[in-house]
Amino acid sequence: MATTIGRLLAVDWGDKRIGLAVSDELGMLASPAGIIARRAGKRPPIAELMRQAESLGVVGYIFGLPLDPGGDETDRSREVRDVAGKLAARQPLPVRLVDERFTTSAALRSIREQGGSTRGRKGDVDSLAACVLLEGVLRAAGQGVTVGEAVAAPAADAVAGSADSNTEGDS
């Protein structure tokens, strides 16, 4: 008998669009859930992510962490970490970061293998990339493995003191 784990919202963060995917209550299936458009120069749409999560009835977020092919941090991965931290601070649902390397290429390959064209379907590709990410998380969870890293909401005093204690890597 399957155990209900609740629905998860996967987030594929991009410059122009944020791809979304949602799991079923049993944590077995991932489905595309659309996109959130981003506007250049505007703050990250954290409130819209929270609205989407509420409307879909999710119990947690999975953010794709865009590492480089060698597994190192990138400017985009640092941006995603920042946004995930802000989201964790603004609401009570758990937020996890999961390596998303190659999810977009897997989404593109899937569309092409089904005889589809990706021309004019960038939003579909972003949402499908979130789906690929979420499928990996659900597969691992089905085997009792939790992937990625939890994002903790920063404590108010820790944020204030972080400039003093975190000088490593600053240049």
Side-chain angles (χ1 to χ4, degrees):
M1 182 171 164
T3 303
T4 301
I5 64 166
R7 296 168 65 107
L8 298 173
L9 182 65
V11 179
D12 180 61
W13 196 262
D15 281 332
K16 296 181 180 176
R17 289 167 307 279
I18 301 166
L20 303 175
V22 65
S23 71
D24 66 328
E25 288 279 339
L26 298 176
M28 297 176 69
L29 301 172
S31 302
I35 62 162
I36 297 172
R38 292 191 59 197
R39 295 190 336 225
K42 299 293 181 183
R43 288 184 294 170
I46 294 172
E48 180 59 24
L49 275 173
M50 292 169 56
R51 279 190 290 277
Q52 291 282 344
E54 184 177 355
S55 72
L56 293 167
V58 303
V59 298
Y61 298 86
I62 305 293
F63 271 74
L65 186 62
L67 302 172
D68 74 10
D72 295 321
E73 292 283 334
T74 63
D75 288 343
R76 176 68 52 82
S77 66
R78 285 184 283 278
E79 178 186 4
V80 168
R81 284 183 185 281
D82 180 59
V83 170
K86 289 176 180 174
L87 177 65
R90 287 182 58 179
Q91 52 80 56
L93 300 179
V95 179
R96 295 193 71 75
L97 295 168
V98 176
D99 183 350
E100 71 164 22
R101 283 178 287 176
F102 314 115
T103 57
T104 299
S105 59
L108 290 167
R109 186 173 50 252
S110 176
I111 290 170
R112 289 186 190 119
E113 286 173 354
Q114 295 174 30
S117 170
T118 58
R119 178 171 288 158
R121 298 180 64 189
K122 291 180 180 176
D124 292 342
V125 172
D126 293 331
S127 188
L128 192 54
C131 228
V132 170
L133 172 71
L134 187 52
E135 286 170 349
V137 170
L138 297 176
R139 232 182 349 267
Q143 298 172 355
V145 176
T146 301
V147 295
E149 60 187 87
V151 176
D157 57 337
V159 172
S162 65
D164 300 331
S165 63
N166 187 15
T167 56
E168 183 177 325
D170 291 345
S171 41

